[in-house]
Amino acid sequence: MMKLLTRPYLTPLLLSLLISACAGMGNQSSLYQQLGGQPAIDTMVDRLIVLHAQTPEIQQYFEQSNLQRFRDKLSEFICFISDGPCEYSGDSMALTHGGMYISDREFNTGVDLMIQAMDDSGISLSARNQLLARLARLRSDIIEQ
Amino acid sequence: MKTVLSLLLCLVASSALADGKLLGTPGASTFEGAGGGGLVPWATISGYGSKTEFGGAAFYNNVRLADFNMDIVGAAIGYDNRWELSAAHQVMEAAANGAEMAQTVYGAKLRLAGDLIFTKAPQLSVGVQYRDLHDPAMGFNRGASDDNGVDYYLAATKMWMNGPFHRNLLVNLTARATKANQTGMLGFGSADDSGYEFQLETSAGLFLNRHWAVGFEYKQKPDRLSQPEDDWWNVWAVFFANKHVSVMAAFADLGSIIGSDRQRGPYISLQFAL
Ligand code: HEM
């Protein structure tokens, strides 16, 4: 019984504490600033559009799309979701992606390309992970519907 | 064992290349073949297959302890990011006299619920492992009562994209019911106690960047033969070169093994995944 009370289950507990402790402190600047502001976000979105075009399984979805609109709305959306000085004027994630039946795999591929695009645009790992954590919450609005 | 490997080769040949998971998120191959860390199986399903896709992993693992050398080959197949079948062949050799302990571990795992990253609740899986000890003499001499056994486990694994230092953090907790002595290398049960023991295992890892992760693991073990056995732990670093090749290097402490104390040393595992 004594053995049962030792280390293993303490790890998740301690780490959860650590996470909640860390969440409160650290960088005071907004995620938008950490990403590098609008210039970096625009660079990233442009890069993403190129990567989409090179990836058939994603490209097929954009065949009928107005890329200029996509570019503007996505850029605005990322500005908005990273606490930047923008109002998002596009459609909701559910409305936009509803009816597309984007699969789990395609969603992950999309995220992979976003990571790549951020990497290529010189966005730091820490800003990237914060943005990804925010985008990850949107998954259920985007896939399989 | 051979069937598993050839099945995996078929998958490669059929080139239904799965890469529906993010780099590193299927984890590594455990020394028992199941997907996870090095010592502890996770709720993750081996390979990069997502829904309705196949994936898989094959690995070679070597552990060099003060008085023993352990060589392991194994493979796992994942389907639908829900099912996993695995097999591993383990040989542990005593450096002093070449005495060998060997067993094959077959495993099956089923993801019950959740997604490692995208759900609030952790990913939850149940698993069974059937262990078949090749030469039970060493175990029987020390009081083991059986040369094969079945383990059951429940694993919960969660990854936070924005963990400490804004890095991806993975935490795993596994509860196991087992009769195995030294994970089966010394047989199962003992003359006066052949029931299941409940053990906890844990892993935690931090992705330093897309390719590198570091962490540690702790694995409780029963202790019921004439010579003592200890809980195991390790600290590890893993490098995911891409979705097909990864290397895990660890320092493992396997405690006391058949009377030799302080069995610790380097652990290296090379994995090929799809
Ligand atoms: C976290 C992931 C994603 C985010 C944040 C996101 C965001 C957006 C935004 C803001 C728009 C513009 C909406 C508008 O025009 O009002 C959009 C459009 C679009 N998205 Fe996504 N998206 C994501 C994932 C995906 C994936 C994985 C696919 C396909 C595989 C996809 C396919 C599309 C398409 C085709 C359009 C254009 C729709 C049209 O032409 O009207 N998105 N997305």
Side-chain angles (χ1 to χ4, degrees):
Chain A
M1 191 60 211
M2 213 33 234
K3 234 179 154 190
L4 236 169
L5 295 175
T6 50
R7 288 143 279 196
Y9 75 99
L10 282 178
T11 317
L13 249 169
L14 288 175
L15 281 163
S16 320
L17 280 175
L18 185 71
I19 298 167
S20 38
C22 290
M25 51 173 251
N27 228 312
Q28 296 306 306
S29 66
S30 72
L31 176 53
Y32 177 77
Q33 286 166 312
Q34 292 178 53
L35 285 165
Q38 208 56 49
I41 293 175
D42 290 344
T43 308
M44 171 210 156
V45 171
D46 285 340
R47 181 69 190 135
L48 182 66
I49 290 172
V50 173
L51 293 171
H52 277 174
Q54 294 168 354
T55 313
E57 67 169 318
I58 301 293
Q59 178 52 31
Q60 54 170 346
Y61 285 92
F62 286 92
E63 238 120 59
Q64 310 295 322
S65 297
N66 175 346
L67 284 186
Q68 188 58 51
R69 177 186 163 103
F70 176 71
R71 181 185 185 279
D72 294 346
K73 298 301 174 203
L74 183 59
S75 185
E76 207 178 84
F77 185 79
I78 293 175
C79 165
F80 169 73
I81 205 176
S82 62
D83 306 323
C86 310
E87 279 301 321
Y88 175 57
S89 64
D91 298 327
S92 75
M93 290 300 101
L95 192 63
T96 304
H97 301 94
M100 289 190 195
Y101 301 100
I102 296 170
S103 71
D104 188 37
R105 172 206 172 97
E106 289 158 346
F107 180 82
N108 284 345
T109 303
V111 173
D112 255 348
L113 296 182
M114 262 185 210
I115 292 175
Q116 185 68 50
M118 287 192 252
D119 244 8
D120 295 347
S121 318
I123 290 171
S124 75
L125 187 64
S126 120
R128 181 221 289 163
N129 283 337
Q130 293 174 71
L131 181 62
L132 285 175
R134 294 184 191 193
L135 295 178
R137 290 185 212 129
L138 306 169
R139 175 174 176 264
S140 57
D141 285 342
I142 293 173
I143 68 161
E144 282 160 8
Q145 51 155 349
Chain B
M1 189 64 238
K2 282 213 184 78
T3 9
V4 179
L5 280 173
S6 47
L7 254 169
L8 202 79
L9 284 174
C10 290
L11 283 176
V12 184
S14 73
S15 85
L17 277 192
D19 63 354
K21 289 182 192 164
L22 301 180
L23 184 62
T25 57
S29 294
T30 61
F31 78 115
E32 303 187 310
L39 301 175
V40 180
W42 297 347
T44 50
I45 301 296
S46 284
Y48 284 88
S50 58
K51 267 195 194 136
T52 72
E53 293 177 325
F54 279 99
F59 70 99
Y60 166 74
N61 181 190
N62 177 265
V63 192
R64 228 159 254 275
L65 306 169
D67 302 312
F68 299 91
N69 178 47
M70 182 144 68
D71 270 311
I72 305 163
V73 289
I77 291 176
Y79 176 64
D80 203 24
N81 193 27
R82 184 162 291 280
W83 297 93
E84 179 188 278
L85 292 176
S86 61
H89 184 69
Q90 309 169 325
V91 179
M92 190 182 240
E93 195 188 52
N97 57 8
E100 263 185 23
M101 297 172 264
Q103 70 169 341
T104 308
V105 184
Y106 302 92
K109 191 197 288 182
L110 168 65
R111 179 171 64 83
L112 294 179
D115 181 280
L116 178 67
I117 301 170
F118 296 111
T119 52
K120 272 229 163 66
Q123 181 162 326
L124 266 187
S125 296
V126 285
V128 293
Q129 290 176 326
Y130 171 73
R131 299 150 192 285
D132 185 18
L133 185 59
H134 296 214
D135 180 0
M138 282 218 226
F140 285 178
N141 292 341
R142 291 168 176 81
S145 59
D146 242 317
D147 67 355
N148 66 79
V150 179
D151 279 16
Y152 302 92
Y153 64 86
L154 176 70
T157 315
K158 171 82 190 144
M159 184 160 129
W160 288 270
M161 287 273 200
N162 187 19
F165 316 109
H166 303 303
R167 295 297 185 268
N168 305 159
L169 171 74
L170 183 143
V171 178
N172 174 79
L173 185 64
T174 300
R176 179 192 293 271
T178 184
K179 298 179 179 186
N181 306 310
Q182 293 291 14
T183 71
M185 291 286 194
L186 292 179
F188 304 83
S190 69
D192 39 59
D193 182 5
S194 61
Y196 274 100
E197 272 198 40
F198 178 72
Q199 308 285 305
L200 288 173
E201 305 174 4
T202 190
S203 327
L206 197 65
F207 278 80
L208 302 180
N209 57 36
R210 266 182 106 182
H211 297 280
W212 285 93
V214 294
F216 72 91
E217 298 182 290
Y218 191 92
K219 176 181 166 66
Q220 276 189 329
K221 284 160 62 255
D223 177 19
R224 50 190 179 189
L225 294 188
S226 56
Q227 282 167 322
E229 71 176 279
D230 295 318
D231 292 352
W232 288 0
W233 61 264
N234 70 10
V235 287
W236 51 262
V238 57
F239 174 67
F240 295 96
N242 51 45
K243 288 183 182 176
H244 305 304
V245 179
S246 66
V247 186
M248 177 183 258
F251 175 82
D253 185 336
L254 308 191
S256 183
I257 298 177
I258 51 172
S260 303
D261 287 347
R262 293 168 62 87
Q263 295 305 308
R264 45 180 73 170
Y267 169 121
I268 188 125
S269 180
L270 182 64
Q271 192 208 54
F272 300 94
L274 284 176

